[in-house]
Amino acid sequence: NAAISACAAGRRPETALALLAEMQRLSGESNTTSSGGGDAHRKSRRRGRHRERAGEDDDDLAAPDVVTYNAVITACEKAGQWERAVALLDEMRTRADRPRPDVITYNAVVSACARCAQWERAVELLDEMRAGSPATTPRPDRITYSSAISACARAGAAAEALALLDEMVDAAASRCGNDVRMIAPDVITYNAA
């Protein structure tokens, strides 16, 4: 996860995707993630041979978890690759052998959409979170709303941004205690609108 997080910080989604694919391969998962080419696969095989010589067992390696996926999605977001971020989220939601996305996963994907002014997709994801079963889909939080509002604002969809801000205020008013702090608009939200 540390190496993938470094890829996110360095805006290197291809490397992050290659590392994810290597983790999937080593843990026995099938890989549907686009890793960026054969060069990454060759490097992965070399690292595997190195581990064999060092006496490491592939069974000791952990399968990618939600933190791993979140780091790869963040790398895609920082590089402006919103389609890849959405594809990784879709993979997590539809494959039984993948970790279930959490609110951080959704926030990173909505943020990727915001970065690229893909406001309709950002709002669709927010709607999925609001309509989904709490048992399987995380509830949106302040970051989710703020990112969706930012996506609308970047795309020039001011009416939609303000409507989301109103919904957010209403949602906060209907909650109590700690839930209010998790959803209430803050300075970042108002600046995004």
Side-chain angles (χ1 to χ4, degrees), residues 55-96:
E56 293 178 20
D57 185 4
D58 285 349
D59 292 338
D60 294 338
L61 300 173
D65 59 10
V66 70
V67 174
T68 307
Y69 273 87
N70 290 348
V72 175
I73 290 169
T74 298
C76 294
E77 179 259 328
K78 289 184 177 186
Q81 296 184 7
W82 70 273
E83 298 100 334
R84 278 200 165 153
V86 170
L88 285 165
L89 173 64
D90 288 343
E91 181 180 314
M92 291 175 75
R93 291 187 298 195
T94 59
R95 301 259 325 249

Side-chain angles (χ1 to χ4, degrees), residues 50-57 60:
H50 174 71
R51 274 193 297 278
E52 287 172 13
R53 284 193 300 268
E56 293 178 20
D57 185 4
D60 294 338

